Amino acid sequence: MELDDSAVNDLVSLGLPRYEARVYLALVRRESYTAAEVARAADVPRQRVYDVLDALVRRRLAVLRPGRVAAFAAVAPELALARLMALQRESLERLDQVSATLTAALLPVWADGRTHTDPLDYIEVLRDPKAIAERFASIQRQATHELLTFCKPPFVAPAANNEGIKAVRRLRQAGGTARAVYTHDALGDAEVLENVRRFSAAGEESRFAPRLPLKLVIADAALVLCDMPDPMAGTGATTALYIEHPALAGCLRLAFETVWEQAEPAPRP
């Protein structure tokens, strides 16, 4: 009679290796077997059966009956299964202790990790002109009460910059302010000057300075986009930094106010 595969699988789930499960199920069918007989009955390789039987004896699931030819018998199923369950409980108790110890060791590390902040998490470095233009439009849209800008060529946004005009108009309608300082170069560029006038019509206050240290946008004294020449990347290349840091934004806002006070009002049309 073939061994019941489901019974073999059940014994395996209780912790027995498959060969041991097969041999034990073969042993329960007769009073005793020799090693050679049980190897055939359980379909276990002859060279492995002695190790398997020794393991069952150590687990107290089988007993050795000495004689001219040694024989092996199964321990009663109720005792064998109770012993397997006891081994499983011991294993679970050990795992429970390991789990509790590991939890106690890892919890402080996990809690410390929740409070750790990478010092550069609030800085995003942008070099692609398209990405810079998109971030420029994004910071204009995010402003809720104040938008401050240093504008100098080359411009990353189209001269018309309709999105920027919409942002300024929305900001002013909400009671906010929008101020920009342009370089004197804008006065000699008809396209840029027309754009300055369109922004002015939308509610932006503008002034002009001989030079500006860098291109800069500050939204709500919290968000910053600054675009600086990159001497390592070649002529005309820039590196933009998008920064979410109120303290730094506050410092740059003070710098903006200093330049604003010294800049000249926009010329009359």
Side-chain angles (χ1 to χ4, degrees), residues 59-99:
R59 294 181 193 274
R60 295 189 297 162
L61 304 182
V63 293
L64 170 63
R65 292 180 176 175
R68 188 175 60 83
V69 178
F72 295 86
V75 169
E78 65 271 22
L79 292 176
L81 293 175
R83 286 167 182 167
L84 285 176
M85 286 298 300
L87 290 173
Q88 288 296 308
R89 291 190 187 96
E90 290 175 7
S91 177
L92 286 174
E93 288 174 1
R94 286 194 299 272
L95 288 175
D96 188 57
Q97 292 173 358
V98 169
S99 176

Side-chain angles (χ1 to χ4, degrees), residues 48-68:
R48 292 292 311 279
V49 74
Y50 292 100
D51 290 339
V52 171
L53 286 166
D54 286 344
L56 288 173
V57 171
R58 287 195 305 273
R59 294 181 193 274
R60 295 189 297 162
L61 304 182
V63 293
L64 170 63
R65 292 180 176 175
R68 188 175 60 83

Side-chain angles (χ1 to χ4, degrees), residues 69-218:
V69 178
F72 295 86
V75 169
E78 65 271 22
L79 292 176
L81 293 175
R83 286 167 182 167
L84 285 176
M85 286 298 300
L87 290 173
Q88 288 296 308
R89 291 190 187 96
E90 290 175 7
S91 177
L92 286 174
E93 288 174 1
R94 286 194 299 272
L95 288 175
D96 188 57
Q97 292 173 358
V98 169
S99 176
T101 301
L102 189 58
T103 298
L106 291 180
L107 271 177
V109 179
W110 182 86
D112 183 62
R114 304 287 73 74
T115 60
H116 173 73
T117 301
D118 189 324
L120 295 181
D121 276 351
Y122 50 80
I123 300 177
E124 180 181 2
V125 180
L126 304 168
R127 290 191 174 90
D128 178 57
K130 182 179 179 182
I132 295 172
E134 290 174 351
R135 184 59 76 186
F136 177 59
S138 172
I139 199 170
Q140 288 176 314
R141 289 193 298 269
Q142 290 182 74
T144 60
H145 60 269
E146 184 181 64
L147 188 64
L148 309 176
T149 310
F150 281 166
C151 298
K152 59 182 292 188
F155 298 103
V156 297
N161 193 9
N162 292 325
E163 288 298 321
I165 291 173
K166 291 179 183 177
V168 170
R169 187 178 293 120
R170 172 188 54 77
L171 194 61
R172 291 305 303 271
Q173 288 174 350
T177 60
R179 291 181 288 162
V181 179
Y182 297 82
T183 59
H184 284 169
D185 295 344
L187 297 173
D189 187 320
E191 186 178 17
V192 175
L193 190 57
E194 176 59 27
N195 195 46
V196 172
R197 289 170 179 157
R198 293 179 68 228
F199 268 83
S200 179
E204 180 184 81
E205 300 176 62
S206 57
R207 292 187 180 180
F208 293 79
R211 63 187 61 84
L212 293 171
L214 75 171
K215 289 187 281 187
L216 175 70
V217 184
I218 307 171

